[in-house]
Amino acid sequence: MRIVIDAMGGDHAPEEIVKGAIQARNEFDIDITLVGDRERILKVLTAEKADESKFQIIHTTEIISNNESPTLAIRRKKDSSMVVGMRLLKEGKGDAFISAGSTGAILAGGLFIVGRIKGIDRPALAPVLPGKNGPFMLMDAGANAECKTQNILQFGIMGNIYSKKVLSKANPKVGLVNIGSEEEKGTEFTKECFKMLKESRLNFVGNVEGREIPDGNIDVVVCDGFTGNVILKVFEGVAQTIFDILKEEIMSSARTKIGGLLLKPVFRKFKKKFDYTEHGGAILLGVDGTVIKAHGSSNAKAIKNAIKQAVLCVRGGVVESIKEEIEGYNEING
Amino acid sequence: MRIVIDAMGGDHAPEEIVKGAIQARNEFDIDITLVGDRERILKVLTAEKADESKFQIIHTTEIISNNESPTLAIRRKKDSSMVVGMRLLKEGKGDAFISAGSTGAILAGGLFIVGRIKGIDRPALAPVLPGKNGPFMLMDAGANAECKTQNILQFGIMGNIYSKKVLSKANPKVGLVNIGSEEEKGTEFTKECFKMLKESRLNFVGNVEGREIPDGNIDVVVCDGFTGNVILKVFEGVAQTIFDILKEEIMSSARTKIGGLLLKPVFRKFKKKFDYTEHGGAILLGVDGTVIKAHGSSNAKAIKNAIKQAVLCVRGGVVESIKEEIEGYNEING
């Protein structure tokens, strides 16, 4: 299995990206292709005393930043690490592609370079989030600000497969984000989605309210990309804010500093539990290949986890299963 | 000033509601009308050694629960504490109405009994939330699952007034919930809202992403009621989940228990800072009277804070200011 990695994407590229790739190669039985500035990549490999002959390096001269139009960048920057990496995936020269770069560019590249799976109208960005009782998927988290009910059903179908194959859930629970638990709650859109999900073969457990989402009891939480993106960011923002305030307060006196020291194992355990990178990045489900968007602030460990996620996806045959399932649905529904 | 209180609404009614009313009466120079089961109210007043002659009690025989259709309940339960209380407000026999009962019934009663302010299409439910750098308003938090751009503009106008009059902000910053900071981000709806807000006389600071909301730097965060309700509940859910996990971990060993004890002042300070009831309940802005929805789980202190909020609203002339402002807007815009 060969994993293609955009060495130039993310806040700490290429250093942390390459370090994560080295760690993953030591841990998993995989081949790795690093795409980016050869000299800078080699510098990190040397500094880390890694055997550079074990890594395929594809040299590129351009980088897509967060501050440019994703669609234009994907079209024009033919020699960017992102475009070249995605082309390798498309051409079968790799089994998965990972980038911590611009989310917009990954979405655009997913559509225009990798391409959609036949029958999937809108691929979804699906992060795996830490819940109190276990990880859960939120989709779509921002690929499609506006959705049709058919898209939501497909999100459920794809999330169900990922949840089974990668998160090892036997019969994933699918829930629809809504502002009340009853079927008749919400907007015209959520009401239609409810009906469609209820009639599907999914293990649809009904509406899920914002308050229940962090419990992690619903394995696949589906909604339009606007709602999902807001949820994802509020989730991160509230957690960050709470920790910032606690940290500030703990450092404010000798007594609380000692208390903070004694609670170090608690905070460490907690951090691990609430670590967004523990289960890898956000997977772009619905494109014809395994594409993972790692967090922009990814360190080596986060990249390693994203690579692990890619390995599990490829081994589990997630993309192939989605293809089969969608074909089956389309046959049934004409 | 007379505050009318639904003594029967909320998880801890009538005990905590009446206790909160007693506390508020001792603290502020106000008259209080308690609406509900006379005997049960008297029992609490007696137990608390309060001078019952200082409270007006209006006896009612019905209660609206969370499990019934709000609209039907408001229409049919003529002798419920909610309906009778709102009628008192409407008839001028009180200056504000507070209930910790069914949100849906309060919204329905606000529309059908209290009535809208002329020119306001859709009243909004506006909780005041604790931000890292200060309290902020989120509106609409669920009164209108679907909104028009005109509604969003009116939410901004009303929030601006409340923020000035009650939260003492000199020039409140108004932000639009969106999934990116640039003007062209989001849905067709958010793009139209952006344009409308930009052209208004409000201090519109642009889009606000989910991650920034908990900072509290934007005084009035506007969005449709579906999005707002999801934000509100994710906000509460994530905070609750974090504290549940921390508590569990702190209790897991002797060392961490001692650490927890030493950090008691930190958690106390934090709890106060993140206390949803510190600034009262959610105000229903856009109806022709001061109507406040206290949290369903309100204790006496929360009720006292909701009463304080009502007092500040009435003193600040929030409803009158909204009327003037909306008239001004309507004159300008034809």
Side-chain angles (χ1 to χ4, degrees), chain A residues 38-96:
Chain A
R38 180 184 301 273
E39 242 176 86
R40 292 185 66 190
I41 292 170
L42 280 173
K43 211 173 134 191
V44 186
L45 287 173
T46 310
E48 295 293 313
K49 300 187 178 61
D51 180 352
E52 56 186 74
S53 73
K54 304 284 189 199
F55 294 86
Q56 184 188 32
I57 301 175
I58 306 281
H59 180 67
T60 54
T61 55
E62 290 177 298
I63 295 173
I64 294 178
S65 82
N66 283 324
N67 308 318
E68 54 192 319
S69 156
T71 314
L72 284 183
I74 286 291
R75 279 195 193 143
R76 289 180 187 167
K77 290 191 163 172
K78 303 280 186 211
D79 199 39
S80 62
S81 51
M82 182 101 72
V83 169
V84 171
M86 283 190 162
R87 284 210 181 284
L88 290 171
L89 180 69
K90 180 70 182 171
E91 291 160 6
K93 290 172 184 159
D95 299 291

Coordinates of all heavy atoms in Angstrom, one line a residue, chain A residues 38-96:
Chain A
R38 N 11.8 19.1 -2.8 CA 12.7 18.0 -2.5 C 13.8 18.4 -1.4 O 14.0 17.6 -0.5 CB 13.4 17.5 -3.8 CG 14.4 16.3 -3.5 CD 15.1 15.9 -4.8 NE 14.3 15.5 -5.8 CZ 13.8 14.3 -6.0 NH1 14.1 13.3 -5.2 NH2 13.0 14.0 -7.0
E39 N 14.4 19.5 -1.6 CA 15.5 19.9 -0.7 C 15.0 20.0 0.7 O 15.6 19.6 1.7 CB 16.1 21.2 -1.2 CG 17.5 21.1 -1.5 CD 18.1 22.4 -2.1 OE1 18.5 23.3 -1.3 OE2 18.0 22.6 -3.3
R40 N 13.8 20.7 0.9 CA 13.3 20.9 2.3 C 12.9 19.5 2.9 O 13.0 19.3 4.1 CB 12.1 21.8 2.2 CG 12.6 23.3 1.9 CD 11.4 24.3 2.0 NE 11.0 24.4 3.3 CZ 9.9 25.1 3.6 NH1 9.1 25.7 2.7 NH2 9.5 25.2 4.9
I41 N 12.3 18.6 2.0 CA 11.9 17.3 2.6 C 13.2 16.5 3.0 O 13.2 16.0 4.1 CB 11.2 16.5 1.5 CG1 9.8 17.2 1.2 CG2 11.0 15.1 1.9 CD1 9.0 16.7 0.0
L42 N 14.2 16.6 2.1 CA 15.5 15.9 2.4 C 16.1 16.4 3.7 O 16.6 15.6 4.5 CB 16.4 16.0 1.2 CG 16.2 15.1 0.1 CD1 17.1 15.4 -1.1 CD2 16.3 13.6 0.5
K43 N 16.0 17.7 3.9 CA 16.6 18.3 5.1 C 16.0 17.7 6.4 O 16.7 17.4 7.3 CB 16.3 19.8 5.0 CG 17.4 20.6 5.7 CD 17.2 22.1 5.5 CE 17.4 22.9 6.8 NZ 16.9 24.3 6.6
V44 N 14.7 17.5 6.3 CA 14.0 16.9 7.5 C 14.3 15.5 7.7 O 14.6 15.0 8.8 CB 12.4 17.1 7.4 CG1 11.8 16.6 8.7 CG2 12.0 18.5 7.1
L45 N 14.4 14.7 6.6 CA 14.7 13.3 6.6 C 16.1 13.1 7.2 O 16.3 12.3 8.1 CB 14.7 12.7 5.2 CG 13.2 12.5 4.6 CD1 13.3 12.0 3.2 CD2 12.4 11.4 5.4
T46 N 17.0 14.0 6.8 CA 18.4 13.9 7.3 C 18.4 14.3 8.8 O 19.1 13.6 9.6 CB 19.3 14.9 6.5 OG1 19.1 14.7 5.1 CG2 20.8 14.7 6.9
A47 N 17.8 15.4 9.1 CA 17.8 15.8 10.5 C 17.2 14.7 11.4 O 17.6 14.5 12.6 CB 17.0 17.1 10.7
E48 N 16.2 14.0 10.9 CA 15.6 12.9 11.7 C 16.3 11.6 11.6 O 15.9 10.6 12.1 CB 14.1 12.7 11.3 CG 13.3 14.0 11.5 CD 13.1 14.2 13.0 OE1 12.7 13.2 13.8 OE2 13.2 15.4 13.5
K49 N 17.4 11.6 10.9 CA 18.2 10.4 10.6 C 17.4 9.2 10.0 O 17.6 8.1 10.3 CB 18.9 9.9 11.9 CG 19.8 10.9 12.5 CD 20.6 10.3 13.7 CE 21.6 11.3 14.3 NZ 20.9 12.6 14.8
A50 N 16.5 9.6 9.1 CA 15.7 8.6 8.4 C 16.4 8.1 7.2 O 17.2 8.9 6.6 CB 14.3 9.2 8.1
D51 N 16.2 6.9 6.8 CA 16.8 6.4 5.6 C 16.0 6.9 4.4 O 14.9 6.5 4.1 CB 16.7 4.8 5.6 CG 17.3 4.2 4.4 OD1 17.7 5.0 3.4 OD2 17.4 3.0 4.4
E52 N 16.6 7.9 3.7 CA 15.8 8.6 2.6 C 15.5 7.7 1.5 O 14.6 8.0 0.7 CB 16.6 9.8 2.2 CG 18.0 9.6 1.7 CD 18.7 10.9 1.4 OE1 19.1 11.6 2.3 OE2 18.8 11.2 0.2
S53 N 16.2 6.6 1.3 CA 16.0 5.7 0.2 C 14.6 5.0 0.4 O 14.1 4.4 -0.5 CB 17.1 4.7 0.1 OG 17.0 3.7 1.1
K54 N 14.1 5.0 1.6 CA 12.8 4.4 1.9 C 11.6 5.2 1.5 O 10.5 4.8 1.6 CB 12.7 4.0 3.4 CG 13.8 3.2 4.0 CD 13.6 1.7 3.5 CE 14.6 0.9 4.3 NZ 14.8 -0.4 3.6
F55 N 11.9 6.5 1.1 CA 10.8 7.4 0.8 C 10.9 7.8 -0.6 O 12.0 8.2 -1.1 CB 10.8 8.6 1.7 CG 10.6 8.3 3.1 CD1 11.6 7.9 4.0 CD2 9.3 8.4 3.7 CE1 11.4 7.7 5.3 CE2 9.0 8.1 5.0 CZ 10.1 7.7 5.8
Q56 N 9.8 7.7 -1.3 CA 9.7 8.3 -2.7 C 9.4 9.8 -2.6 O 8.5 10.2 -1.9 CB 8.6 7.6 -3.5 CG 8.6 8.1 -5.0 CD 7.4 7.6 -5.7 OE1 6.3 7.4 -5.2 NE2 7.6 7.3 -7.0
I57 N 10.3 10.6 -3.2 CA 10.0 12.0 -3.2 C 9.7 12.5 -4.6 O 10.4 12.2 -5.5 CB 11.2 12.8 -2.6 CG1 11.6 12.3 -1.2 CG2 10.9 14.3 -2.6 CD1 12.9 12.9 -0.7
I58 N 8.5 13.2 -4.7 CA 8.2 13.8 -6.0 C 8.3 15.3 -5.8 O 7.6 15.9 -5.0 CB 6.7 13.5 -6.4 CG1 6.5 12.0 -6.3 CG2 6.4 14.1 -7.7 CD1 7.0 11.2 -7.5
H59 N 9.3 15.9 -6.5 CA 9.6 17.3 -6.4 C 8.5 18.2 -7.0 O 8.1 17.9 -8.2 CB 10.9 17.6 -7.0 CG 11.3 19.1 -6.8 ND1 11.6 19.6 -5.6 CD2 11.4 20.0 -7.8 CE1 11.9 20.9 -5.8 NE2 11.8 21.2 -7.1
T60 N 8.0 19.2 -6.3 CA 7.1 20.2 -6.9 C 7.6 21.5 -6.5 O 8.4 21.7 -5.6 CB 5.7 20.0 -6.3 OG1 5.7 20.0 -4.9 CG2 5.1 18.7 -6.7
T61 N 7.1 22.5 -7.3 CA 7.7 23.9 -7.1 C 6.7 24.9 -6.6 O 7.0 26.0 -6.2 CB 8.2 24.4 -8.5 OG1 7.1 24.3 -9.4 CG2 9.3 23.6 -9.0
E62 N 5.4 24.4 -6.5 CA 4.4 25.4 -6.1 C 3.6 24.9 -4.8 O 3.6 23.7 -4.5 CB 3.3 25.6 -7.2 CG 3.9 26.3 -8.4 CD 2.8 26.4 -9.5 OE1 2.4 25.4 -10.1 OE2 2.4 27.6 -9.9
I63 N 3.1 25.9 -4.1 CA 2.3 25.6 -2.9 C 1.0 26.3 -3.0 O 0.9 27.5 -3.4 CB 3.1 26.0 -1.6 CG1 4.4 25.2 -1.5 CG2 2.2 25.8 -0.4 CD1 5.2 25.7 -0.3
I64 N -0.1 25.6 -2.6 CA -1.4 26.3 -2.6 C -1.6 26.8 -1.1 O -1.5 26.0 -0.2 CB -2.5 25.4 -3.0 CG1 -2.4 25.0 -4.5 CG2 -3.9 26.0 -2.8 CD1 -3.4 24.1 -5.0
S65 N -1.9 28.1 -1.0 CA -2.1 28.6 0.4 C -3.5 28.7 0.7 O -4.4 28.5 -0.1 CB -1.4 30.0 0.5 OG -2.3 31.0 0.0
N66 N -3.8 29.0 2.0 CA -5.2 29.2 2.4 C -5.8 30.5 1.9 O -7.0 30.7 2.0 CB -5.3 29.2 4.0 CG -5.1 27.8 4.5 OD1 -5.6 26.8 3.9 ND2 -4.4 27.7 5.7
N67 N -5.0 31.4 1.4 CA -5.5 32.7 1.1 C -5.8 32.9 -0.4 O -5.9 34.0 -0.9 CB -4.5 33.8 1.5 CG -4.1 33.6 3.0 OD1 -5.0 33.3 3.8 ND2 -2.8 33.7 3.3
E68 N -5.9 31.8 -1.1 CA -6.2 32.0 -2.6 C -7.4 31.2 -2.9 O -7.9 30.3 -2.2 CB -5.0 31.6 -3.4 CG -4.5 30.2 -3.2 CD -3.2 29.9 -3.9 OE1 -3.0 30.4 -5.0 OE2 -2.3 29.3 -3.3
S69 N -8.0 31.6 -4.0 CA -9.3 30.9 -4.4 C -8.9 29.4 -4.7 O -8.1 29.1 -5.5 CB -9.8 31.5 -5.7 OG -10.6 30.6 -6.4
P70 N -9.6 28.5 -4.0 CA -9.3 27.1 -4.1 C -9.4 26.6 -5.5 O -8.5 25.9 -6.1 CB -10.3 26.4 -3.2 CG -10.7 27.4 -2.2 CD -10.6 28.7 -3.0
T71 N -10.5 26.9 -6.2 CA -10.8 26.4 -7.5 C -9.7 26.9 -8.5 O -9.2 26.1 -9.3 CB -12.2 26.8 -8.0 OG1 -13.1 26.6 -6.9 CG2 -12.6 26.0 -9.2
L72 N -9.4 28.2 -8.4 CA -8.4 28.8 -9.3 C -7.1 28.1 -9.1 O -6.3 27.8 -10.0 CB -8.3 30.3 -9.1 CG -9.4 31.1 -9.8 CD1 -9.2 32.6 -9.6 CD2 -9.6 30.8 -11.3
A73 N -6.7 28.0 -7.8 CA -5.4 27.4 -7.4 C -5.3 26.0 -8.0 O -4.3 25.7 -8.5 CB -5.3 27.4 -5.9
I74 N -6.3 25.2 -7.8 CA -6.3 23.8 -8.3 C -6.1 23.8 -9.8 O -5.4 23.0 -10.4 CB -7.6 23.0 -7.8 CG1 -7.5 22.7 -6.4 CG2 -7.8 21.8 -8.7 CD1 -6.5 21.7 -5.9
R75 N -6.8 24.7 -10.5 CA -6.7 24.8 -12.0 C -5.3 25.3 -12.5 O -4.8 24.8 -13.5 CB -7.8 25.7 -12.5 CG -9.1 25.0 -12.6 CD -10.1 25.7 -13.4 NE -11.4 25.1 -13.2 CZ -12.5 25.8 -13.2 NH1 -12.5 27.2 -13.4 NH2 -13.7 25.3 -13.0
R76 N -4.8 26.3 -11.8 CA -3.6 27.0 -12.3 C -2.3 26.4 -11.8 O -1.3 26.4 -12.5 CB -3.7 28.4 -12.0 CG -4.8 29.1 -12.8 CD -4.8 30.6 -12.5 NE -6.0 31.2 -13.2 CZ -6.5 32.4 -13.0 NH1 -5.9 33.1 -12.0 NH2 -7.5 32.8 -13.6
K77 N -2.3 26.0 -10.5 CA -1.0 25.6 -9.9 C -0.7 24.1 -10.2 O -0.8 23.3 -9.3 CB -1.0 25.9 -8.4 CG -0.9 27.4 -8.2 CD -0.6 27.7 -6.7 CE -0.1 29.1 -6.5 NZ 0.0 29.5 -5.1
K78 N -0.4 23.8 -11.5 CA -0.3 22.4 -11.9 C 0.9 21.7 -11.2 O 0.9 20.5 -11.1 CB 0.0 22.4 -13.4 CG -1.1 23.1 -14.2 CD -2.3 22.2 -14.4 CE -3.3 22.8 -15.4 NZ -4.7 22.4 -15.1
D79 N 1.8 22.5 -10.8 CA 3.0 21.9 -10.1 C 3.0 22.1 -8.6 O 4.0 22.2 -7.9 CB 4.3 22.4 -10.7 CG 5.5 21.4 -10.4 OD1 5.2 20.2 -10.5 OD2 6.6 21.9 -10.1
S80 N 1.8 22.2 -8.0 CA 1.7 22.3 -6.6 C 1.7 20.9 -6.0 O 1.3 20.0 -6.6 CB 0.4 23.1 -6.2 OG -0.7 22.4 -6.6
S81 N 2.1 20.9 -4.7 CA 2.2 19.6 -4.0 C 0.8 18.9 -4.0 O 0.6 17.7 -4.1 CB 2.7 19.7 -2.6 OG 2.0 20.8 -1.9
M82 N -0.3 19.8 -3.8 CA -1.6 19.3 -3.7 C -2.1 18.7 -5.0 O -2.6 17.6 -5.1 CB -2.6 20.5 -3.3 CG -4.0 20.1 -3.2 SD -4.5 19.9 -1.4 CE -4.5 21.6 -0.9
V83 N -1.9 19.4 -6.1 CA -2.4 19.0 -7.4 C -1.6 17.7 -7.9 O -2.2 16.7 -8.3 CB -2.3 20.1 -8.5 CG1 -2.5 19.5 -9.9 CG2 -3.3 21.2 -8.2
V84 N -0.3 17.8 -7.7 CA 0.5 16.6 -8.1 C 0.2 15.4 -7.3 O 0.0 14.3 -7.8 CB 2.0 17.0 -8.0 CG1 2.9 15.7 -8.3 CG2 2.4 18.0 -9.1
G85 N 0.0 15.6 -6.0 CA -0.3 14.5 -5.1 C -1.7 13.8 -5.5 O -1.8 12.6 -5.5
M86 N -2.7 14.7 -5.8 CA -4.0 14.1 -6.1 C -3.9 13.4 -7.5 O -4.7 12.5 -7.7 CB -5.0 15.3 -6.1 CG -5.4 15.6 -4.7 SD -6.9 16.7 -4.7 CE -7.5 16.6 -3.0
R87 N -3.1 13.9 -8.4 CA -3.0 13.3 -9.7 C -2.4 11.9 -9.5 O -2.8 10.9 -10.2 CB -2.0 14.1 -10.6 CG -2.7 15.3 -11.2 CD -2.2 15.7 -12.6 NE -2.9 16.9 -13.0 CZ -4.1 16.9 -13.5 NH1 -4.8 15.8 -13.6 NH2 -4.7 18.1 -13.8
L88 N -1.4 11.8 -8.6 CA -0.8 10.4 -8.3 C -1.9 9.5 -7.9 O -2.0 8.3 -8.3 CB 0.3 10.6 -7.3 CG 1.6 11.3 -7.7 CD1 2.5 11.5 -6.5 CD2 2.3 10.5 -8.8
L89 N -2.8 10.0 -7.0 CA -3.9 9.1 -6.5 C -4.8 8.7 -7.7 O -5.1 7.5 -7.9 CB -4.7 9.9 -5.5 CG -5.9 9.1 -4.8 CD1 -5.4 8.0 -4.0 CD2 -6.7 10.1 -4.0
K90 N -5.1 9.7 -8.5 CA -6.0 9.5 -9.6 C -5.4 8.4 -10.6 O -6.2 7.6 -11.1 CB -6.3 10.8 -10.3 CG -7.2 10.7 -11.6 CD -8.6 10.4 -11.1 CE -9.5 10.3 -12.3 NZ -10.8 9.8 -11.9
E91 N -4.1 8.5 -10.8 CA -3.4 7.7 -11.8 C -3.1 6.3 -11.2 O -2.5 5.5 -11.8 CB -2.2 8.3 -12.3 CG -2.4 9.6 -13.1 CD -1.2 10.5 -13.2 OE1 -0.2 10.1 -12.7 OE2 -1.4 11.6 -13.8
G92 N -3.5 6.0 -10.0 CA -3.3 4.7 -9.3 C -1.9 4.6 -8.8 O -1.5 3.5 -8.5
K93 N -1.1 5.7 -8.7 CA 0.2 5.6 -8.2 C 0.3 5.7 -6.7 O 1.4 5.9 -6.2 CB 1.1 6.6 -8.9 CG 1.3 6.3 -10.4 CD 2.0 7.4 -11.2 CE 2.1 7.0 -12.7 NZ 2.3 8.2 -13.5
G94 N -0.8 5.7 -6.1 CA -0.9 5.7 -4.7 C -2.3 5.3 -4.3 O -3.2 5.3 -5.1
D95 N -2.5 4.8 -3.0 CA -3.8 4.3 -2.6 C -4.6 5.3 -1.8 O -5.8 5.1 -1.5 CB -3.6 3.0 -1.8 CG -2.9 1.9 -2.6 OD1 -3.5 1.4 -3.5 OD2 -1.7 1.6 -2.4
A96 N -3.9 6.3 -1.3 CA -4.6 7.3 -0.5 C -3.7 8.6 -0.6 O -2.5 8.6 -0.8 CB -4.7 6.9 1.0

